[in-house]
Amino acid sequence: MKALTWHGKRDVRVEEVPDPRIEEPTDAIVRITSTAICGSDLHLYEVLGPFLKPGDVLGHEPMGIVEEVGSGVTRLRPGDRVVVPFTIACGPCWMCDRQLYAQCETTQVTSEGKGAALFGYTSLYGSVPGGQAEYLRVPQAQFGPIKVPENGPDERYLYLSDILPTAWQAVTYADTPPGGTLAVFGLGPVGQFCARIGRHLGAGRVIGLDLVPERLEMARRHGIEVLDVTQLEDVPGALIDLVDGRGPDAVIDAVGMEAHGSTSGRIAQTAAGLLPDRLAQAMTDKVGVDRLVVLKAALKAVRRGDTVSVSGVYGGEVDPLPLMEMFDRGVQLRMGQCHVRRWTDEILPLLSGDDDPLGVADLRTHRLPLDDAPKAYEMFQKKADGCVKVVLAP
């Protein structure tokens, strides 16, 4: 089959790889009909290369048709249309029983000290082949895949794999009071959905911040008040002044480790990427740093006594945070890998009607064949051609 494979920094290729097969009774094989490029895939394209090896298959936002199931999978059958969550969870373990699916004890990558295994996401999370491919082996298929209606375009349901539940969790963690103000830093795909979900769940005012004109315009189309950060000298101060001199009731950081404007973090990430893999892994694990300009702005902007919710991916081990200010201001911080199946039963009914309250039909800017994936990664990273979200068709 064809699959997108990693070969080095900014070097991804579509190649022929062996077809997946049933290896465990709880496996399923899914023929992929649509698979998206996630913002966190760009971390693999840039800074997390030391944890990949040439030939690793990327991608963790797939959906398709079940082709085959193992003997232990009774809830699916060939022909079912499914979305595959990026987190691999078993369902009945101690963590899953508490809906902490991203910490599943059956698939935890204990050798790396990490939580549940993820599709297409480095040795840190199990080196499980990903879904930017024609076919995908799905472990723990007795629980993970989400059955969706047979009708409707893929993109009505595809985002259940990651970015919709990730945004839903971020908004839930932010806990904006009814009628309150939510600020969202970063209007990439997750940030777009955070802003829309915030409005849907009762925020009276949602402010989105970004520097890409196409992202700002997309948010405006959905009734989001936007701020172009390139026009602001003091972003936290501007937000505080804009919201009653107190700041937003809740703030979401939907950017993460590669934020623009963090020069020292960028230099450190680049330096690590120049080292041999073994040294780079050790450096990242013990002394890794992130670009923290967005997180620090969020912490300084949120109203005293309230919450910053982090959905952007961070990977540093020695990141300096303004703890004195956080303590003085009584800021709460919530974060974590998304527990996808915890939220999908709430979200799915919103996708099945004609009214599209979350605007899933207005996110994808490019749909390309899988063969064009290398070009799509470059375009997405450079934010070229108005690119906000890419969906690949195997």
Side-chain angles (χ1 to χ4, degrees):
M1 69 169 185
K2 290 181 180 179
L4 185 76
T5 59
W6 182 91
H7 286 273
K9 185 174 182 178
R10 301 181 200 147
D11 182 4
V12 294
R13 309 172 193 174
V14 177
E15 299 182 313
E16 289 289 332
V17 303
D19 289 348
R21 58 183 179 82
I22 298 290
E23 298 178 16
E24 301 290 341
T26 51
D27 288 350
I29 303 298
V30 174
R31 175 174 56 84
I32 303 303
T33 56
S34 291
T35 181
I37 302 176
C38 182
S40 54
D41 287 327
L42 297 183
H43 303 323
L44 310 183
Y45 196 61
E46 279 286 340
V47 302
L48 292 179
F51 299 98
L52 292 159
K53 62 183 185 298
D56 280 353
V57 179
L58 304 183
H60 60 267
E61 295 188 1
M63 69 174 292
I65 306 299
V66 176
E67 293 283 304
E68 185 182 358
V69 297
S71 60
V73 180
T74 58
R75 56 181 289 272
L76 300 176
R77 60 184 181 181
D80 284 344
R81 187 188 194 196
V82 296
V83 175
V84 181
F86 77 100
T87 47
I88 304 173
C90 73
C93 74
W94 192 91
M95 285 289 184
C96 287
D97 189 53
R98 287 153 180 80
Q99 296 189 304
L100 298 173
Y101 301 120
Q103 308 300 334
C104 173
E105 291 184 329
T106 300
T107 73
Q108 269 183 23
V109 187
T110 54
S111 61
E112 299 289 345
K114 296 294 185 285
L118 310 178
F119 286 104
Y121 218 79
T122 78
S123 59
L124 295 174
Y125 289 97
S127 295
V128 182
Q132 288 169 0
E134 293 182 305
Y135 292 89
L136 176 67
R137 171 182 166 254
V138 181
Q140 305 300 326
Q142 81 288 348
F143 175 73
I146 305 155
K147 289 202 286 187
V148 297
E150 295 179 2
N151 61 309
D154 277 5
E155 286 150 52
R156 177 176 293 184
Y157 305 106
L158 175 62
Y159 308 128
L160 285 171
S161 58
D162 178 355
I163 58 175
L164 258 181
T166 291
W168 195 278
Q169 176 172 295
V171 173
T172 302
Y173 282 5
D175 196 24
T176 312
T181 299
L182 170 68
V184 180
F185 280 79
L187 292 172
V190 170
Q192 295 285 340
F193 279 144
C194 285
R196 301 174 200 181
I197 292 167
R199 282 176 55 87
H200 177 76
L201 293 181
R205 186 182 185 188
V206 180
I207 303 170
L209 300 93
D210 207 290
L211 45 71
V212 180
E214 291 83 3
R215 293 178 174 186
L216 294 166
E217 179 55 35
M218 179 177 282
R220 283 192 194 97
R221 290 201 296 270
H222 293 269
I224 308 304
E225 186 178 344
V226 300
L227 292 176
D228 182 345
V229 297
T230 65
Q231 304 302 310
L232 302 173
E233 292 186 8
D234 177 7
V235 174
L239 273 175
I240 289 170
D241 290 343
L242 198 59
V243 189
D244 303 325
R246 297 188 181 92
D249 299 290
V251 177
I252 293 173
D253 171 2
V255 178
M257 69 169 73
E258 293 187 81
H260 290 272
S262 297
T263 303
S264 59
R266 176 176 54 80
I267 291 171
Q269 290 172 351
T270 301
L274 296 175
L275 296 171
D277 283 355
R278 186 180 299 274
L279 292 176
Q281 289 176 7
M283 180 176 176
T284 301
D285 185 49
K286 302 299 183 186
V287 296
V289 296
D290 294 301
R291 307 183 196 177
L292 295 176
V293 63
V294 168
L295 180 56
K296 288 181 177 179
L299 292 167
K300 291 174 181 291
V302 71
R303 180 174 62 79
R304 287 177 177 269
D306 233 306
T307 303
V308 172
S309 172
V310 181
S311 64
V313 175
Y314 284 96
E317 284 285 340
V318 293
D319 292 334
L321 291 175
L323 289 174
M324 182 176 71
E325 185 168 8
M326 292 167 64
F327 182 86
D328 175 70
R329 303 182 76 240
V331 174
Q332 302 172 76
L333 193 59
R334 294 203 69 181
M335 65 182 74
Q337 201 75 266
C338 182
H339 308 296
V340 175
R341 286 297 308 275
R342 181 172 182 173
W343 314 109
T344 50
D345 287 349
E346 293 181 67
I347 301 170
L348 185 56
L350 301 175
L351 309 179
S352 302
D354 296 328
D355 52 345
D356 193 13
L358 304 182
V360 295
D362 183 27
L363 185 74
R364 186 265 297 163
T365 52
H366 296 75
R367 185 176 178 88
L368 298 169
L370 180 63
D371 285 338
D372 288 346
K375 178 177 70 176
Y377 265 74
E378 181 180 10
M379 176 177 62
F380 188 29
Q381 187 200 41
K382 293 180 177 178
K383 303 175 180 66
D385 194 32
C387 183
V388 175
K389 185 67 173 177
V390 181
V391 174
L392 302 171

